[in-house]
Amino acid sequence: MSGHGKGIVVRDAWCVFEHVSGRKVEALREVTLEIPVGQFVCIVGRSGHGKSTFLRALGGLNPLTRGEVFVDGVPVAGPSAERGMVFQDETVFPWMRVRANVEFGLRAQGMSAAERARIALDWLRRVELSEFVEAWPRELSGGMRRRVALATVFAGGAPILLMDEPFGALDYVTRLSLHRLLLDLWRNTGRTIVFVTHDIEEALILADRILIIMAGRVVDDLPVALPRPRDEEVRARPEAVGMIKTIMHHLGLDALAAEGFERAPELAARR
């Protein structure tokens, strides 16, 4: 596998930590894969099995013990403006108004005030927050603050976006609304997105491809060829149901699926 092509290339990535007890923890083991430009990849797995470690390694935030990560042929040696991140915890600055939040990263890029304002207002329009550009974050709902985070990361211009359960704390209806928004932004920009989730249904709605990570290894790599938009009817197709069963098997949730398969993705997401 070459590290000189476009997109993300991971070669034999290992990440080993030493626990306070002295025991070594292999958070990533033998991860080798490629993510082409423009693909939407979801990473699914149980808590503590390496999903976020892998995402942070792609972002240059977790150094590898062994192996390499390349982006467009260049080794990842640390954080870069070429890779934007949306974390699970809220990253909207409460002491800045909405537009100032979106402009923050653009200011760091050395843009003029006029250019920053133009870009920020454009992205706030795209996430349907034009009426709230001068609002304080405390005046917004949780879903609206997630929209600010999306506007901020897309406005930064990074071709690769890394998202660590960005919608995990939101209610079901708000999540569905943000899924539609994110997919629209992705289709209109062609960005590469790597998205960590515990929610199997969320992965089916969003992904071109689902990676399943267990005990630090990629144990399956599933292409998702379902037509979009992936409404309930599409997700009830035999191929979708089969994919859900495969994922649940890898997660050790076969018994849960047997209890009541129609509710299994929802229940699995809560574990």
Side-chain angles (χ1 to χ4, degrees), residues 100-125:
N101 264 279
V102 179
E103 288 188 17
F104 182 78
L106 305 177
R107 183 189 297 270
Q109 295 179 30
M111 288 187 186
S112 68
E115 184 69 359
R116 292 197 309 268
R118 184 189 67 78
I119 293 173
L121 291 174
D122 177 52
W123 281 101
L124 287 168
R125 175 188 59 79

PDB file of all heavy atoms in Angstrom, residues 100-125:
ATOM      1  N   ALA A 100     -18.817  35.232  15.745  1.00  0.00           N
ATOM      2  CA  ALA A 100     -17.418  35.255  16.202  1.00  0.00           C
ATOM      3  C   ALA A 100     -16.871  33.845  16.373  1.00  0.00           C
ATOM      4  O   ALA A 100     -15.684  33.596  16.110  1.00  0.00           O
ATOM      5  CB  ALA A 100     -17.312  36.038  17.502  1.00  0.00           C
ATOM      6  N   ASN A 101     -17.716  32.910  16.814  1.00  0.00           N
ATOM      7  CA  ASN A 101     -17.285  31.514  16.908  1.00  0.00           C
ATOM      8  C   ASN A 101     -16.871  30.978  15.545  1.00  0.00           C
ATOM      9  O   ASN A 101     -15.817  30.338  15.404  1.00  0.00           O
ATOM     10  CB  ASN A 101     -18.414  30.656  17.480  1.00  0.00           C
ATOM     11  CG  ASN A 101     -18.299  30.442  18.973  1.00  0.00           C
ATOM     12  OD1 ASN A 101     -17.548  29.596  19.435  1.00  0.00           O
ATOM     13  ND2 ASN A 101     -19.044  31.234  19.728  1.00  0.00           N
ATOM     14  N   VAL A 102     -17.694  31.219  14.532  1.00  0.00           N
ATOM     15  CA  VAL A 102     -17.393  30.707  13.195  1.00  0.00           C
ATOM     16  C   VAL A 102     -16.161  31.394  12.619  1.00  0.00           C
ATOM     17  O   VAL A 102     -15.374  30.779  11.890  1.00  0.00           O
ATOM     18  CB  VAL A 102     -18.624  30.881  12.270  1.00  0.00           C
ATOM     19  CG1 VAL A 102     -18.321  30.365  10.864  1.00  0.00           C
ATOM     20  CG2 VAL A 102     -19.824  30.146  12.848  1.00  0.00           C
ATOM     21  N   GLU A 103     -15.962  32.657  12.963  1.00  0.00           N
ATOM     22  CA  GLU A 103     -14.817  33.407  12.435  1.00  0.00           C
ATOM     23  C   GLU A 103     -13.510  33.072  13.139  1.00  0.00           C
ATOM     24  O   GLU A 103     -12.434  33.413  12.630  1.00  0.00           O
ATOM     25  CB  GLU A 103     -15.068  34.917  12.577  1.00  0.00           C
ATOM     26  CG  GLU A 103     -16.109  35.463  11.635  1.00  0.00           C
ATOM     27  CD  GLU A 103     -16.181  36.984  11.692  1.00  0.00           C
ATOM     28  OE1 GLU A 103     -15.224  37.596  12.213  1.00  0.00           O
ATOM     29  OE2 GLU A 103     -17.186  37.544  11.236  1.00  0.00           O
ATOM     30  N   PHE A 104     -13.572  32.419  14.296  1.00  0.00           N
ATOM     31  CA  PHE A 104     -12.378  32.242  15.123  1.00  0.00           C
ATOM     32  C   PHE A 104     -11.249  31.543  14.351  1.00  0.00           C
ATOM     33  O   PHE A 104     -10.102  32.012  14.325  1.00  0.00           O
ATOM     34  CB  PHE A 104     -12.719  31.457  16.383  1.00  0.00           C
ATOM     35  CG  PHE A 104     -11.556  31.261  17.310  1.00  0.00           C
ATOM     36  CD1 PHE A 104     -11.135  32.290  18.135  1.00  0.00           C
ATOM     37  CD2 PHE A 104     -10.863  30.058  17.346  1.00  0.00           C
ATOM     38  CE1 PHE A 104     -10.046  32.124  18.985  1.00  0.00           C
ATOM     39  CE2 PHE A 104      -9.781  29.883  18.180  1.00  0.00           C
ATOM     40  CZ  PHE A 104      -9.370  30.914  19.008  1.00  0.00           C
ATOM     41  N   GLY A 105     -11.552  30.419  13.734  1.00  0.00           N
ATOM     42  CA  GLY A 105     -10.524  29.702  12.990  1.00  0.00           C
ATOM     43  C   GLY A 105     -10.046  30.455  11.764  1.00  0.00           C
ATOM     44  O   GLY A 105      -8.887  30.349  11.362  1.00  0.00           O
ATOM     45  N   LEU A 106     -10.939  31.230  11.155  1.00  0.00           N
ATOM     46  CA  LEU A 106     -10.567  32.017   9.974  1.00  0.00           C
ATOM     47  C   LEU A 106      -9.603  33.136  10.356  1.00  0.00           C
ATOM     48  O   LEU A 106      -8.701  33.485   9.596  1.00  0.00           O
ATOM     49  CB  LEU A 106     -11.832  32.607   9.331  1.00  0.00           C
ATOM     50  CG  LEU A 106     -12.921  31.589   8.970  1.00  0.00           C
ATOM     51  CD1 LEU A 106     -14.151  32.310   8.415  1.00  0.00           C
ATOM     52  CD2 LEU A 106     -12.397  30.562   7.972  1.00  0.00           C
ATOM     53  N   ARG A 107      -9.802  33.682  11.551  1.00  0.00           N
ATOM     54  CA  ARG A 107      -8.870  34.706  12.042  1.00  0.00           C
ATOM     55  C   ARG A 107      -7.459  34.113  12.179  1.00  0.00           C
ATOM     56  O   ARG A 107      -6.466  34.760  11.826  1.00  0.00           O
ATOM     57  CB  ARG A 107      -9.353  35.244  13.387  1.00  0.00           C
ATOM     58  CG  ARG A 107      -8.493  36.365  13.967  1.00  0.00           C
ATOM     59  CD  ARG A 107      -8.920  36.672  15.393  1.00  0.00           C
ATOM     60  NE  ARG A 107     -10.283  37.168  15.448  1.00  0.00           N
ATOM     61  CZ  ARG A 107     -10.602  38.459  15.357  1.00  0.00           C
ATOM     62  NH1 ARG A 107      -9.654  39.359  15.221  1.00  0.00           N
ATOM     63  NH2 ARG A 107     -11.867  38.832  15.443  1.00  0.00           N
ATOM     64  N   ALA A 108      -7.398  32.869  12.679  1.00  0.00           N
ATOM     65  CA  ALA A 108      -6.094  32.205  12.835  1.00  0.00           C
ATOM     66  C   ALA A 108      -5.419  31.963  11.486  1.00  0.00           C
ATOM     67  O   ALA A 108      -4.196  31.838  11.416  1.00  0.00           O
ATOM     68  CB  ALA A 108      -6.277  30.874  13.576  1.00  0.00           C
ATOM     69  N   GLN A 109      -6.214  31.907  10.405  1.00  0.00           N
ATOM     70  CA  GLN A 109      -5.650  31.730   9.062  1.00  0.00           C
ATOM     71  C   GLN A 109      -5.184  33.047   8.452  1.00  0.00           C
ATOM     72  O   GLN A 109      -4.676  33.073   7.328  1.00  0.00           O
ATOM     73  CB  GLN A 109      -6.682  31.073   8.146  1.00  0.00           C
ATOM     74  CG  GLN A 109      -7.062  29.658   8.552  1.00  0.00           C
ATOM     75  CD  GLN A 109      -8.117  29.050   7.639  1.00  0.00           C
ATOM     76  OE1 GLN A 109      -8.192  29.387   6.447  1.00  0.00           O
ATOM     77  NE2 GLN A 109      -8.939  28.154   8.173  1.00  0.00           N
ATOM     78  N   GLY A 110      -5.388  34.153   9.177  1.00  0.00           N
ATOM     79  CA  GLY A 110      -4.906  35.450   8.713  1.00  0.00           C
ATOM     80  C   GLY A 110      -5.823  36.154   7.730  1.00  0.00           C
ATOM     81  O   GLY A 110      -5.389  37.063   7.021  1.00  0.00           O
ATOM     82  N   MET A 111      -7.093  35.760   7.682  1.00  0.00           N
ATOM     83  CA  MET A 111      -8.023  36.398   6.749  1.00  0.00           C
ATOM     84  C   MET A 111      -8.400  37.800   7.221  1.00  0.00           C
ATOM     85  O   MET A 111      -8.417  38.088   8.413  1.00  0.00           O
ATOM     86  CB  MET A 111      -9.305  35.560   6.637  1.00  0.00           C
ATOM     87  CG  MET A 111      -9.143  34.274   5.890  1.00  0.00           C
ATOM     88  SD  MET A 111     -10.748  33.487   5.642  1.00  0.00           S
ATOM     89  CE  MET A 111     -10.205  31.932   4.923  1.00  0.00           C
ATOM     90  N   SER A 112      -8.760  38.641   6.275  1.00  0.00           N
ATOM     91  CA  SER A 112      -9.228  39.987   6.608  1.00  0.00           C
ATOM     92  C   SER A 112     -10.586  39.904   7.289  1.00  0.00           C
ATOM     93  O   SER A 112     -11.320  38.915   7.157  1.00  0.00           O
ATOM     94  CB  SER A 112      -9.338  40.828   5.335  1.00  0.00           C
ATOM     95  OG  SER A 112     -10.397  40.334   4.525  1.00  0.00           O
ATOM     96  N   ALA A 113     -10.957  40.956   7.993  1.00  0.00           N
ATOM     97  CA  ALA A 113     -12.234  40.990   8.690  1.00  0.00           C
ATOM     98  C   ALA A 113     -13.400  40.841   7.714  1.00  0.00           C
ATOM     99  O   ALA A 113     -14.384  40.146   7.989  1.00  0.00           O
ATOM    100  CB  ALA A 113     -12.363  42.294   9.473  1.00  0.00           C
ATOM    101  N   ALA A 114     -13.294  41.481   6.551  1.00  0.00           N
ATOM    102  CA  ALA A 114     -14.377  41.415   5.573  1.00  0.00           C
ATOM    103  C   ALA A 114     -14.536  39.993   5.029  1.00  0.00           C
ATOM    104  O   ALA A 114     -15.673  39.508   4.864  1.00  0.00           O
ATOM    105  CB  ALA A 114     -14.112  42.390   4.427  1.00  0.00           C
ATOM    106  N   GLU A 115     -13.422  39.331   4.748  1.00  0.00           N
ATOM    107  CA  GLU A 115     -13.485  37.961   4.228  1.00  0.00           C
ATOM    108  C   GLU A 115     -14.002  36.997   5.284  1.00  0.00           C
ATOM    109  O   GLU A 115     -14.803  36.111   4.990  1.00  0.00           O
ATOM    110  CB  GLU A 115     -12.094  37.532   3.734  1.00  0.00           C
ATOM    111  CG  GLU A 115     -12.043  36.163   3.085  1.00  0.00           C
ATOM    112  CD  GLU A 115     -12.764  36.111   1.736  1.00  0.00           C
ATOM    113  OE1 GLU A 115     -13.328  37.147   1.311  1.00  0.00           O
ATOM    114  OE2 GLU A 115     -12.787  35.028   1.136  1.00  0.00           O
ATOM    115  N   ARG A 116     -13.559  37.194   6.533  1.00  0.00           N
ATOM    116  CA  ARG A 116     -14.065  36.347   7.620  1.00  0.00           C
ATOM    117  C   ARG A 116     -15.577  36.475   7.752  1.00  0.00           C
ATOM    118  O   ARG A 116     -16.295  35.483   7.893  1.00  0.00           O
ATOM    119  CB  ARG A 116     -13.405  36.728   8.952  1.00  0.00           C
ATOM    120  CG  ARG A 116     -11.932  36.423   9.049  1.00  0.00           C
ATOM    121  CD  ARG A 116     -11.467  36.438  10.494  1.00  0.00           C
ATOM    122  NE  ARG A 116     -11.823  37.622  11.248  1.00  0.00           N
ATOM    123  CZ  ARG A 116     -11.051  38.708  11.359  1.00  0.00           C
ATOM    124  NH1 ARG A 116      -9.889  38.751  10.742  1.00  0.00           N
ATOM    125  NH2 ARG A 116     -11.434  39.739  12.101  1.00  0.00           N
ATOM    126  N   ALA A 117     -16.054  37.694   7.725  1.00  0.00           N
ATOM    127  CA  ALA A 117     -17.494  37.925   7.878  1.00  0.00           C
ATOM    128  C   ALA A 117     -18.268  37.300   6.725  1.00  0.00           C
ATOM    129  O   ALA A 117     -19.321  36.687   6.935  1.00  0.00           O
ATOM    130  CB  ALA A 117     -17.772  39.423   7.962  1.00  0.00           C
ATOM    131  N   ARG A 118     -17.747  37.447   5.505  1.00  0.00           N
ATOM    132  CA  ARG A 118     -18.438  36.887   4.339  1.00  0.00           C
ATOM    133  C   ARG A 118     -18.569  35.372   4.462  1.00  0.00           C
ATOM    134  O   ARG A 118     -19.650  34.801   4.262  1.00  0.00           O
ATOM    135  CB  ARG A 118     -17.674  37.235   3.060  1.00  0.00           C
ATOM    136  CG  ARG A 118     -18.378  36.763   1.787  1.00  0.00           C
ATOM    137  CD  ARG A 118     -17.485  36.922   0.571  1.00  0.00           C
ATOM    138  NE  ARG A 118     -16.338  36.028   0.622  1.00  0.00           N
ATOM    139  CZ  ARG A 118     -16.394  34.716   0.323  1.00  0.00           C
ATOM    140  NH1 ARG A 118     -17.554  34.158  -0.013  1.00  0.00           N
ATOM    141  NH2 ARG A 118     -15.297  33.990   0.372  1.00  0.00           N
ATOM    142  N   ILE A 119     -17.472  34.700   4.810  1.00  0.00           N
ATOM    143  CA  ILE A 119     -17.484  33.236   4.911  1.00  0.00           C
ATOM    144  C   ILE A 119     -18.366  32.782   6.064  1.00  0.00           C
ATOM    145  O   ILE A 119     -19.164  31.849   5.933  1.00  0.00           O
ATOM    146  CB  ILE A 119     -16.045  32.709   5.068  1.00  0.00           C
ATOM    147  CG1 ILE A 119     -15.246  32.967   3.781  1.00  0.00           C
ATOM    148  CG2 ILE A 119     -16.039  31.222   5.423  1.00  0.00           C
ATOM    149  CD1 ILE A 119     -13.769  32.631   3.894  1.00  0.00           C
ATOM    150  N   ALA A 120     -18.238  33.441   7.212  1.00  0.00           N
ATOM    151  CA  ALA A 120     -19.026  33.049   8.383  1.00  0.00           C
ATOM    152  C   ALA A 120     -20.523  33.187   8.110  1.00  0.00           C
ATOM    153  O   ALA A 120     -21.318  32.284   8.419  1.00  0.00           O
ATOM    154  CB  ALA A 120     -18.630  33.876   9.602  1.00  0.00           C
ATOM    155  N   LEU A 121     -20.928  34.298   7.512  1.00  0.00           N
ATOM    156  CA  LEU A 121     -22.347  34.519   7.238  1.00  0.00           C
ATOM    157  C   LEU A 121     -22.868  33.509   6.222  1.00  0.00           C
ATOM    158  O   LEU A 121     -24.008  33.038   6.317  1.00  0.00           O
ATOM    159  CB  LEU A 121     -22.573  35.944   6.749  1.00  0.00           C
ATOM    160  CG  LEU A 121     -22.353  37.034   7.807  1.00  0.00           C
ATOM    161  CD1 LEU A 121     -22.453  38.419   7.168  1.00  0.00           C
ATOM    162  CD2 LEU A 121     -23.358  36.900   8.945  1.00  0.00           C
ATOM    163  N   ASP A 122     -22.032  33.161   5.246  1.00  0.00           N
ATOM    164  CA  ASP A 122     -22.444  32.170   4.245  1.00  0.00           C
ATOM    165  C   ASP A 122     -22.697  30.815   4.897  1.00  0.00           C
ATOM    166  O   ASP A 122     -23.725  30.161   4.635  1.00  0.00           O
ATOM    167  CB  ASP A 122     -21.367  32.052   3.170  1.00  0.00           C
ATOM    168  CG  ASP A 122     -21.710  30.983   2.143  1.00  0.00           C
ATOM    169  OD1 ASP A 122     -22.822  31.007   1.594  1.00  0.00           O
ATOM    170  OD2 ASP A 122     -20.860  30.091   1.899  1.00  0.00           O
ATOM    171  N   TRP A 123     -21.786  30.385   5.779  1.00  0.00           N
ATOM    172  CA  TRP A 123     -21.957  29.068   6.400  1.00  0.00           C
ATOM    173  C   TRP A 123     -23.069  29.062   7.433  1.00  0.00           C
ATOM    174  O   TRP A 123     -23.760  28.057   7.601  1.00  0.00           O
ATOM    175  CB  TRP A 123     -20.627  28.585   6.985  1.00  0.00           C
ATOM    176  CG  TRP A 123     -19.756  28.048   5.892  1.00  0.00           C
ATOM    177  CD1 TRP A 123     -18.711  28.663   5.286  1.00  0.00           C
ATOM    178  CD2 TRP A 123     -19.914  26.788   5.232  1.00  0.00           C
ATOM    179  NE1 TRP A 123     -18.196  27.874   4.289  1.00  0.00           N
ATOM    180  CE2 TRP A 123     -18.909  26.711   4.235  1.00  0.00           C
ATOM    181  CE3 TRP A 123     -20.786  25.717   5.381  1.00  0.00           C
ATOM    182  CZ2 TRP A 123     -18.766  25.602   3.402  1.00  0.00           C
ATOM    183  CZ3 TRP A 123     -20.658  24.614   4.553  1.00  0.00           C
ATOM    184  CH2 TRP A 123     -19.662  24.569   3.582  1.00  0.00           C
ATOM    185  N   LEU A 124     -23.278  30.162   8.105  1.00  0.00           N
ATOM    186  CA  LEU A 124     -24.413  30.229   9.029  1.00  0.00           C
ATOM    187  C   LEU A 124     -25.733  30.178   8.265  1.00  0.00           C
ATOM    188  O   LEU A 124     -26.713  29.602   8.741  1.00  0.00           O
ATOM    189  CB  LEU A 124     -24.317  31.484   9.892  1.00  0.00           C
ATOM    190  CG  LEU A 124     -23.223  31.406  10.967  1.00  0.00           C
ATOM    191  CD1 LEU A 124     -22.972  32.780  11.585  1.00  0.00           C
ATOM    192  CD2 LEU A 124     -23.600  30.400  12.055  1.00  0.00           C
ATOM    193  N   ARG A 125     -25.751  30.741   7.064  1.00  0.00           N
ATOM    194  CA  ARG A 125     -26.937  30.606   6.217  1.00  0.00           C
ATOM    195  C   ARG A 125     -27.145  29.133   5.837  1.00  0.00           C
ATOM    196  O   ARG A 125     -28.260  28.612   5.877  1.00  0.00           O
ATOM    197  CB  ARG A 125     -26.778  31.459   4.953  1.00  0.00           C
ATOM    198  CG  ARG A 125     -27.920  31.292   3.951  1.00  0.00           C
ATOM    199  CD  ARG A 125     -27.601  32.012   2.648  1.00  0.00           C
ATOM    200  NE  ARG A 125     -26.382  31.526   2.025  1.00  0.00           N
ATOM    201  CZ  ARG A 125     -26.312  30.401   1.310  1.00  0.00           C
ATOM    202  NH1 ARG A 125     -27.383  29.657   1.135  1.00  0.00           N
ATOM    203  NH2 ARG A 125     -25.157  30.043   0.755  1.00  0.00           N
TER     204      ARG A 125
END
